[in-house]
Amino acid sequence: MTPPKSTDPNPPAIEVHDLTVSYHAKPVLWDIDVEIPAGKLVGVVGPNGAGKSTLLRAMLGLVRPASGWVRIHGEPLKRGDHGCGYVPQRESVDWDFPVSVLDVVLMGTYGRLGWFRRPGKREKDLAFHCLEQVGIVELAKRQISQLSGGQQQRVFLARALAQDARVYLMDEPFAGVDAATEAAIFEVLHELRASGRTVVVVHHDLQTVEEYFDHVLLLHLRLVAAGPIETTFTRENLLATYGGRLTLLDEAAEAVRRGAAGGPGWRPPAAPKR
Amino acid sequence: MLGLEYNTAVVLAGTAALGLAAGSTGSLALLRRRALLADALSHATLPGICIAFMVTGSRSFAALLTGALITGILGVLVVVMISRRGKIREDAAIGIVLGTFFGGGIALSGIIQRRGADAAQAGLDSFLLGQTAGMLLSDAITIGVIALITVALVVLLGKEWKLICFDPDFAGVEGWPVRALDLLLMLLITVTVVIALPAVGVVLTAAILIIPATAARLWVDRLGPMLILASIFGVLSGSVGTVISAGTAGLPAGPVIVLSASAIFVVSLLFSPRRGIIARARSRVAQRRRQERRRLLGSIYEGIEESHVPMIGEAELARRRSWGPGRMRKHLEKASRRGLIVWGSTGIALTDSGKTLAEKIVRDERIWQQYLLSQAQIDRDLIDLDAAEIGQILPKAMVEELEAVLRAKGRLPGAAAIDTETPGGAS
C-alpha cells in the first residue's frame, strides 16, 4: 500500500505503520507500528521465528505486506531508488559464484551507475576504500569461495558501505563470525552512526545487545517494545518477548551474574534493568 | 577453408556461431540455475515444430522455428505457473512439462508420418537428433545474426545479469527490475535453444548450453573469463562435431557436437588445477597427512604427559593410533627427519622444537574441546585446527578463560612442562 506523504519536515529514519505480513494466512508479522529515529544504532531482537528478518525485508520492500506501509525518511519505498544499504544473511547467496571480492563490493555502486555503464576507476577506488574500512583490502582479488565466514560477512558489509546510503539494514551480521570480524563490524557500525546514518541490525545474542546498540526493538510476531536500551531492554520486556523460552533467559541471567560478580565472564554485559 | 566443400563451410559457420551463443547464454542459465528449465524448454519446442509443419505444409526454417519458439515459451510459462500457483516443486513441474510437451510432439510427428509425407519425415527427424547437412546459407546467416545479437546483449547487460544471478534480493533493494531482467534472460535462453534445434536436435539442445559452461567454470573463477571460455568451448564443440559428422555417413550432427563438448568437459573435470578431480584428490591426501602428522605429535605428547616418563614406547604409541605399522613408521621417519622427535630403540621422545609444536597442537585441541563443552552459543564453523592462532578466531578473553579452565584441570600443555630427554640408544 502506498503511504500518505509525510508532513513532518524532520521525519524519522524509518516509519512502519499497520504492517502485517503473512504466509498462507499465518501471520509472520502482525500489526507492527514503529518509528526508528535517525542516527541511531538499533538492534532488532526476538526468538527464532519472531519475524525479525521479515521485518527487515518488509522495510526493504522485498516482501509484499498483507497490509500497512513503510516510509524511509518520509518517502514511500520506490523502485529505482537506492534508498537503503543492505547486508543480507551470509547464507542467502552462493559463495561458489564466479566473482572476486572486489566484484561483489562493486555491486554496491551499480545503483548509482545505472544501466549498461561499467564500474570505472572512481567506483574501484571507492570499493577499495570500503574494503579498507572493513579491514580486508588485501583480499580484493580473491575468489569469494576462498573466504572464511567472517571474511564473507565483511565483504557484504563493504558492499553495503559502497552503496553510501542514509539507512542501513543488516540481517544477523554478527552470526558465526570470528573475534576480529566482530570487532571490525562493531567499529564500522560506530563510524556509520558518527556520520549520521541510521543502522538497524537483526541480532541474536542477548548478551551483547546493551553493548552494541542505542535502541532496541523487541519482536515476537507483534512488536513487544521499542525504544532506548535503558528503558526498553528490561527483564519484564524480555520475558514478554521470549515467553516460556527460559533457558535462553537463564543463560543471559547467568552471564549477567558472572559479569556482576567480577568472575571470568568474557564479555560481561550490564544487568538488565528491572 | 581446409578444402571443405562450400556446403560444409556454410554449416561450419552456422554451428560455430551457435556454439558462441550457447556458451555465453548457457553460462548465465547455469548461474541463474535454469539448466533444467532449458532442458524442459527444448523438449517443449517439438509440438510447435510439428504444428507449424501441419499448418504451413512446408519445411521452411523460419516457420518451424517460429512454431518451436511459441510452444517453447508456453512450456516455460506452464512450469512457472504450476510451480508457483500449484505448490508443486519446480523439478517436478519441469519433469511434467518436459514429458507432456515432448510426448505431444512425438504423437503429432507420428500423425504427420502416417499422412505419408516422406519429405515431412526427413524434415522432422532432423529436428529430433539434429541434422546439419541440409543447412542452407540463409539458415546459417539467421543463426549467425541471432548469435551475434545474443553475444551483444550479454556484453551490454553483463553487469545487470551478474547482479541478479548472484543476489537477486540485493538487486531488488537497489531498484533493479529483477523480474524484467529475469524474463529477458529467459527469452535469450529460449532463442538460443530454438536456433540450436535444427543442428543439435530437441533431445540434446540443453546439453550444448550446459556442458561448455560447466566445463569453463572448472578453469576460471570470474564471470567474464567464464563467458569467454564457455563460448570458445561452444565454438570448438560445434565445429569439431560438424566436421566429424560431415565426414562420416549416417552420423547425425547433434550427438557428435554434444559428445565433443562432453570430451572437453571430461578433460576439464580431470585436470582443472583447483576444481579438477585429480587436484582435489591431491589436496585431500595432503590434508589427511597434515592431520595425521598433528595426531602423531599430539599422541606422543599425551603419552609422555600421562606416564611422566620423557618418552613413549612404539607399542604404546601404536595403541593410541589406529595406523598400521607401515604408516606409523613412515610418519615417525618423517618427523624424525624434520627434527621433531628422537626415535631410538627404547622409544620416542620429543626434541625441543617437537615439544613446542606438540604443545601448541594439544593446547589448541583442548581449547576447542573446552569451547564446545562450555560455551552456550556454540559455533562449530569457527573450529579450525589448522589455524595459526586461536586468538585470531575467538575473543582473547574467551581463550584466556578456556585456558584457565584447562589449567585448573591440569590439562593445559606447557603449564607443567614435560621433559624432552633423549631416550637411550638414540639412533
Side-chain angles (χ1 to χ4, degrees), chain B residues 18-370:
Chain B
L18 188 64
L20 185 70
S24 51
T25 314
S27 297
L28 291 174
L30 201 69
L31 293 173
R32 191 73 184 110
R33 296 169 196 219
R34 295 280 192 264
L36 269 181
L37 197 59
D39 201 19
L41 167 65
S42 66
H43 282 78
T45 58
L46 189 58
I49 295 168
C50 294
I51 292 168
F53 181 82
M54 289 163 101
V55 171
T56 63
S58 74
R59 200 208 150 252
S60 127
F61 199 65
L64 297 190
L65 290 193
T66 308
L69 193 65
I70 291 170
T71 53
I73 290 175
L74 195 67
V76 171
L77 289 179
V78 174
V79 169
V80 171
M81 207 180 66
I82 62 177
S83 62
R84 208 167 275 165
R85 312 262 157 189
K87 231 191 160 184
I88 289 168
R89 284 173 47 129
E90 199 187 61
D91 55 346
I94 285 173
I96 291 163
V97 166
L98 188 149
T100 309
F101 277 66
F102 189 61
I106 294 284
L108 283 173
S109 76
I111 291 170
I112 292 170
Q113 282 169 34
R114 271 278 298 280
R115 283 189 186 166
D118 280 347
Q121 198 171 343
L124 290 178
D125 276 0
S126 75
F127 272 93
L128 262 187
L129 289 178
Q131 189 56 260
T132 49
M135 195 186 280
L136 304 173
L137 181 62
S138 60
D139 301 347
I141 288 172
T142 309
I143 294 174
V145 168
I146 293 178
L148 281 180
I149 293 174
T150 303
V151 172
L153 264 177
V154 172
V155 171
L156 202 64
L157 285 171
K159 176 184 94 204
E160 285 77 5
W161 274 329
K162 174 160 69 176
L163 188 62
I164 67 160
C165 286
F166 176 63
D167 194 346
D169 277 355
F170 186 81
V173 169
E174 283 277 274
W176 295 100
V178 177
R179 274 273 174 79
L181 281 164
D182 224 6
L183 265 177
L184 191 62
L185 179 57
M186 207 52 231
L187 192 68
L188 191 72
I189 296 169
T190 311
V191 170
T192 310
V193 164
V194 167
I195 60 165
L197 287 176
V200 190
V202 168
V203 183
L204 293 173
T205 290
I208 195 65
L209 266 77
I210 298 165
I211 298 176
T214 312
R217 178 68 186 92
L218 289 166
W219 294 100
V220 293
D221 269 339
R222 296 190 59 197
L223 185 58
M226 176 175 167
L227 289 168
I228 294 169
L229 193 59
S231 301
I232 293 173
F233 286 166
V235 172
L236 264 177
S237 351
S239 26
V240 169
T242 303
V243 170
I244 294 177
S245 154
T248 318
L251 205 55
V256 188
I257 290 174
V258 170
L259 286 176
S260 310
S262 306
I264 293 173
F265 172 73
V266 169
V267 171
S268 308
L269 186 64
L270 285 175
F271 300 110
S272 151
R274 280 207 309 108
R275 295 170 171 264
I277 287 177
I278 293 173
R280 289 178 73 89
R282 266 202 197 137
S283 92
R284 243 195 324 276
V285 169
Q287 169 73 28
R288 210 184 58 197
R289 288 235 177 87
R290 208 157 52 231
Q291 195 184 330
E292 289 184 351
R293 254 195 327 262
R294 198 160 54 214
R295 280 322 303 152
L296 178 79
L297 285 181
S299 300
I300 295 173
Y301 183 93
E302 283 171 340
I304 292 173
E305 183 185 48
E306 271 169 38
S307 66
H308 303 289
V309 177
M311 72 179 82
I312 181 171
E314 269 179 68
E316 169 63 15
L317 186 59
R319 198 182 57 75
R320 286 171 181 268
R321 304 259 45 98
S322 58
W323 307 332
R327 191 187 301 177
M328 177 67 85
R329 181 165 318 122
K330 237 174 62 191
H331 279 300
L332 284 172
E333 275 167 4
K334 206 174 268 173
S336 168
R337 258 203 314 279
R338 290 176 62 204
L340 298 172
I341 61 167
V342 182
W343 183 18
S345 54
T346 52
I348 300 137
L350 291 166
T351 63
D352 280 340
S353 65
K355 180 180 163 239
T356 311
L357 191 56
E359 265 174 7
K360 182 193 177 311
I361 289 166
V362 175
R363 169 181 167 274
D364 286 4
E365 279 177 359
R366 289 185 185 165
I367 287 179
W368 284 124
Q369 285 164 3
Q370 192 61 38

Side-chain angles (χ1 to χ4, degrees), chain A residues 101-116:
Chain A
V101 165
L102 185 66
D103 290 334
V104 175
V105 179
L106 281 171
M107 288 177 187
T109 68
Y110 285 6
R112 256 165 294 135
L113 273 173
W115 289 95
F116 313 126

Side-chain angles (χ1 to χ4, degrees), chain A residues 100-102 105 127-143 146-148 150-151 154-155 158 178 180-181 184, chain B residues 392:
Chain A
S100 70
V101 165
L102 185 66
V105 179
F128 273 114
H129 176 70
C130 296
L131 280 170
E132 237 162 58
Q133 267 181 285
V134 301
I136 52 167
V137 73
E138 72 282 0
L139 301 180
K141 296 281 172 214
R142 196 174 284 191
Q143 147 71 12
Q146 295 166 285
L147 300 175
S148 73
Q151 289 164 345
R154 292 200 229 184
V155 172
D178 54 279
T181 300
Chain B
Q392 285 171 359

Side-chain angles (χ1 to χ4, degrees), chain A:
Chain A
M1 256 142 277
T2 321
K5 247 207 139 23
S6 175
T7 49
D8 192 339
N10 242 334
I14 304 174
E15 296 161 275
V16 177
H17 178 60
D18 183 34
L19 183 76
T20 297
V21 178
S22 45
Y23 291 130
H24 310 295
K26 202 180 151 221
V28 200
L29 281 177
W30 200 359
D31 214 356
I32 307 285
D33 267 283
V34 69
E35 288 186 1
I36 292 174
K40 301 280 184 208
L41 290 181
V42 183
V44 179
V45 175
N48 286 335
K52 304 186 293 281
S53 294
T54 308
L55 177 63
L56 221 62
R57 293 173 63 79
M59 288 173 174
L60 290 159
L62 289 174
V63 292
R64 192 186 300 174
S67 78
W69 50 252
V70 173
R71 274 197 307 225
I72 307 282
H73 281 290
E75 298 281 334
L77 288 173
K78 272 192 311 246
R79 304 279 74 171
D81 162 40
H82 52 102
C84 292
Y86 180 37
V87 177
Q89 280 185 22
R90 232 166 54 216
E91 299 78 21
S92 65
V93 302
D94 169 18
W95 287 96
D96 204 28
F97 198 85
V99 285
S100 70
V101 165
L102 185 66
D103 290 334
V104 175
V105 179
L106 281 171
M107 288 177 187
T109 68
Y110 285 6
R112 256 165 294 135
L113 273 173
W115 289 95
F116 313 126
R117 283 179 54 208
R118 274 153 203 273
K121 186 174 181 323
R122 231 179 73 204
E123 284 73 28
K124 282 185 184 148
D125 286 347
L126 174 67
F128 273 114
H129 176 70
C130 296
L131 280 170
E132 237 162 58
Q133 267 181 285
V134 301
I136 52 167
V137 73
E138 72 282 0
L139 301 180
K141 296 281 172 214
R142 196 174 284 191
Q143 147 71 12
I144 57 169
S145 61
Q146 295 166 285
L147 300 175
S148 73
Q151 289 164 345
Q152 293 174 351
Q153 196 65 64
R154 292 200 229 184
V155 172
F156 267 177
L157 193 60
R159 181 179 69 173
L161 291 176
Q163 288 180 275
D164 191 21
R166 290 170 78 187
V167 173
Y168 280 90
L169 301 172
M170 307 186 181
D171 204 345
E172 302 258 16
F174 289 104
V177 301
D178 54 279
T181 300
E182 194 171 317
I185 299 176
F186 187 60
E187 195 174 315
V188 167
L189 291 186
H190 279 265
E191 279 166 20
L192 284 172
R193 180 177 57 184
S195 60
R197 325 291 173 102
T198 310
V199 188
V200 180
V201 180
V202 171
H203 197 61
H204 67 293
D205 181 13
L206 286 179
Q207 298 187 29
T208 48
V209 168
E210 286 168 297
E211 185 188 345
Y212 286 176
F213 304 111
D214 314 321
H215 273 232
V216 69
L217 212 147
L218 294 165
L219 196 68
H220 191 189
L221 267 65
R222 307 203 55 169
L223 183 70
V224 178
I229 292 280
E230 303 80 55
T231 53
T232 314
F233 197 64
T234 61
R235 183 166 178 80
E236 201 180 19
N237 279 340
L238 283 173
L239 268 173
T241 312
Y242 284 87
R245 282 167 242 221
L246 279 171
T247 42
L248 245 181
L249 275 185
D250 285 347
E251 273 164 24
E254 171 66 18
V256 167
R257 241 196 331 276
R258 280 196 301 177
W266 61 278
R267 212 158 34 182
K273 281 92 192 167
R274 273 158 222 283

